[in-house]
Amino acid sequence: MRTAWMVPLMVLGAGLGTARVILGPPDMTVVVHLQTAGRGPGADVLEYARRTAAGMFASIGVRVAWAAPGEGEPANGLVLHLYVTDRPQTGHDPAALAFAYPYAPEKGITVMWDRLLAVCGSGSELVPRLLAHVMVHELTHVLEGVSRHSDTGVMKAHWTAGDYSEMMRKPLPFTDFDAELIHGRVDGTRAN
Ligand SMILES: [Zn+2]
């Protein structure tokens, strides 16, 4: 079983210098507009995934407010758009489950529900957990604003069977560096 994460416009920084530390807010709120299309996840799966994803972000001081488009627009703040669809998406790595555009966040995030089900098997208890992790992984790409992956945790480029087993017990964590990137305390373009 292979899982890959496609990030179009991939431009990995070549620099290996020490990350530049900048000050960011101590906590932040992100509004996520979630839309489903076609035969997407059922209400129970979606609610579990939303709750789990929010808990994962809460662990690093990020509050996620889920809203339908047009709702919850903050006066100033971050609004991200996330689509879950089973409509075939062409032009993407066949092993990818979702794609995001860290350098063009207005294009939104698309989770390919049909592919996710193919990985888990419909009805598997992994389905809502994997959906949560896919959401968090792609949202993090956009929040970090840079195309990069970590060696461990939710921002790994490829999850293994061991990672899936871990997801069944508890959510995969963020690395400290990913948390710092999300909070804007370090410059990801100079990350390793
Ligand atoms: Zn990724």
Side-chain angles (χ1 to χ4, degrees):
M1 187 186 303
R2 180 165 169 256
T3 304
W5 305 97
M6 182 176 183
V7 181
L9 306 176
M10 185 170 283
V11 184
L12 286 172
L16 295 173
T18 305
R20 179 168 57 92
V21 176
I22 56 178
L23 293 178
D27 50 42
M28 59 194 289
T29 297
V30 178
V31 176
V32 180
H33 284 166
L34 176 62
Q35 288 179 273
T36 59
R39 288 193 307 168
D44 288 355
V45 168
L46 210 50
E47 176 54 28
Y48 185 98
R50 276 196 298 243
R51 198 169 60 243
T52 301
M56 291 167 73
F57 277 115
S59 73
I60 57 165
V62 175
R63 179 176 170 270
V64 173
W66 300 96
E71 293 178 2
E73 296 279 2
N76 52 22
L78 214 41
V79 181
L80 303 182
H81 297 270
L82 194 155
Y83 309 95
V84 182
T85 180
D86 68 348
R87 292 176 184 153
Q89 306 290 313
T90 57
H92 298 289
D93 182 335
L97 298 183
F99 54 94
Y101 300 84
Y103 307 103
E106 70 280 1
K107 291 187 177 181
I109 295 159
T110 300
V111 176
M112 295 178 279
W113 177 243
D114 51 336
R115 298 189 186 190
L116 191 147
L117 282 187
V119 167
C120 296
S122 184
S124 163
E125 290 186 2
L126 180 60
V127 169
R129 293 165 173 84
L130 183 57
L131 178 58
H133 282 75
V134 171
M135 287 176 169
V136 170
H137 183 103
E138 299 299 334
L139 288 166
T140 298
H141 272 311
V142 176
L143 291 173
E144 293 186 348
V146 60
S147 179
R148 64 171 297 281
H149 289 101
S150 294
D151 292 337
T152 60
V154 68
M155 290 313 291
K156 275 177 75 169
H158 303 280
W159 292 322
T160 63
D163 292 319
Y164 290 137
S165 297
E166 187 69 16
M167 287 178 200
M168 294 298 293
R169 289 190 289 272
K170 62 182 190 321
L172 300 180
F174 289 95
T175 63
D176 290 345
F177 190 77
D178 280 307
E180 297 289 286
L181 270 178
I182 289 171
H183 284 283
R185 296 185 185 121
V186 292
D187 181 355
T189 62
R190 299 180 64 187
N192 57 9

